[in-house]
Amino acid sequence: MKRQGQFLKDLNDFQAVNEIYGLYFKEQAPARACVQVVKLPKDVMVEIEGIAVI
């Protein structure tokens, strides 16, 4: 994965999301941006987008 975007309903959840992120990307994590948004589809708490190279 080259780049990732994270959208959180509550930026106070960043630490928890970051810990889970670390479980999947132990070495060379992709560049990422994390922002707080007012509302996400289906009222979820986190949405993640990614650009991968195969």
Side-chain angles (χ1 to χ4, degrees), residues 16-31:
V17 171
N18 202 43
E19 288 175 14
I20 295 167
Y21 182 84
L23 296 174
Y24 292 91
F25 298 102
K26 296 179 190 280
E27 300 175 18
Q28 238 181 340

Side-chain angles (χ1 to χ4, degrees), residues 5-54:
Q6 298 174 344
F7 306 91
L8 308 179
K9 278 179 70 172
D10 186 346
L11 211 49
N12 291 315
D13 293 333
F14 178 77
Q15 184 175 352
V17 171
N18 202 43
E19 288 175 14
I20 295 167
Y21 182 84
L23 296 174
Y24 292 91
F25 298 102
K26 296 179 190 280
E27 300 175 18
Q28 238 181 340
R32 65 179 168 154
C34 183
V35 295
Q36 180 172 314
V37 295
V38 174
K39 187 168 177 129
L40 291 167
K42 298 186 180 182
D43 206 30
V44 298
M45 295 176 65
V46 177
E47 181 175 319
I48 298 174
E49 69 173 2
I51 298 173
V53 177
I54 303 174

